[in-house]
Amino acid sequence: KHIYCQLIDDKEGKILLEITVYEDMLNFSLIQAALMNNSIFIHNHPNSTSFSPHDIALAIINNCREIRAVGHEKVYVLRRTQDKWGPLPVEEVFLTADTIFRSLSRKYEKRSSQLLRSAMSDYEVERILDILFVGQVDEYVLKLVKQLPMNWVYRIEEV
């Protein structure tokens, strides 16, 4: 799967950078990372999920003004409300995100095993797993934003 990334200047709306990479090869040069400061970082999520812990860490480390993940039906937006993302170090945010996500895994594994028993085809199995994974990611981001005292707002927009 390919990831399409775009950096947009927050004040002027000018495109600063556009790149397309393979999903597991998303790395930025130092120059590209420097462009992220106060920019809007937009990228697609082919699985239509919200932010991964890595996405959130990337936004904090590079001081993006806003990060957006574009799916098939929704756009997920995390925007900082002050000059910095907040009082917590990025490592603590990442570990908290990972802990919340893992704790939800047990809940969604139980739900998936119940639903998979009624699946009639491989397509239904794949669809059930996709829907549950999207739900798990959406729920973990909502919990993370509520739990941590950071300078951010989170919203989901319909496409």
Side-chain angles (χ1 to χ4, degrees):
K1 294 179 184 175
H2 286 88
I3 302 291
Y4 172 74
C5 303
Q6 195 174 57
L7 289 177
I8 298 176
D9 183 289
D10 190 34
K11 291 182 175 51
E12 299 175 21
K14 180 176 75 174
I15 295 173
L16 302 172
L17 174 72
E18 284 182 292
I19 57 173
T20 301
V21 296
Y22 287 107
E23 190 172 26
D24 58 348
M25 309 250 326
L26 186 57
N27 292 309
F28 295 96
S29 70
L30 291 175
I31 293 170
Q32 291 168 333
L35 290 173
M36 290 183 180
N37 186 47
N38 286 318
S39 72
I40 300 170
F41 175 56
I42 302 170
H43 65 294
N44 68 313
H45 274 192
N47 293 333
S48 295
T49 58
S50 187
F51 303 108
S52 70
H54 290 95
D55 289 335
I56 295 170
L58 178 96
I60 294 169
I61 289 168
N62 294 294
N63 201 37
C64 297
R65 167 63 68 186
E66 179 176 294
I67 186 169
R68 292 173 170 252
V70 180
H72 299 289
E73 298 168 2
K74 298 176 184 176
V75 177
Y76 300 92
V77 180
L78 188 63
R79 184 172 181 86
R80 67 177 159 82
T81 57
Q82 296 181 18
D83 288 339
K84 298 290 177 194
W85 283 92
L88 300 178
V90 69
E91 296 84 8
E92 187 171 338
V93 174
F94 187 85
L95 287 173
T96 303
D98 191 56
T99 301
I100 292 169
F101 190 82
R102 288 178 192 279
S103 72
L104 290 173
S105 291
R106 289 185 288 282
K107 170 183 167 183
Y108 281 90
E109 282 172 15
K110 183 177 180 184
R111 211 180 275 175
S112 68
S113 65
Q114 294 166 345
L115 289 170
L116 290 174
R117 279 188 229 128
S118 64
M120 304 296 267
S121 67
D122 289 345
Y123 173 78
E124 285 181 353
V125 167
E126 189 174 316
R127 189 74 186 121
I128 288 169
L129 293 174
D130 284 348
I131 290 168
L132 289 172
F133 183 71
V134 169
Q136 181 179 349
V137 175
D138 287 358
E139 188 175 345
Y140 114 81
V141 174
L142 287 169
K143 286 180 177 276
L144 180 70
V145 169
K146 287 178 184 173
Q147 185 173 325
L148 294 182
M150 299 292 281
N151 304 319
W152 55 22
V153 290
Y154 176 65
R155 69 180 187 278
I156 302 170
E157 301 172 352
E158 299 294 322
V159 174

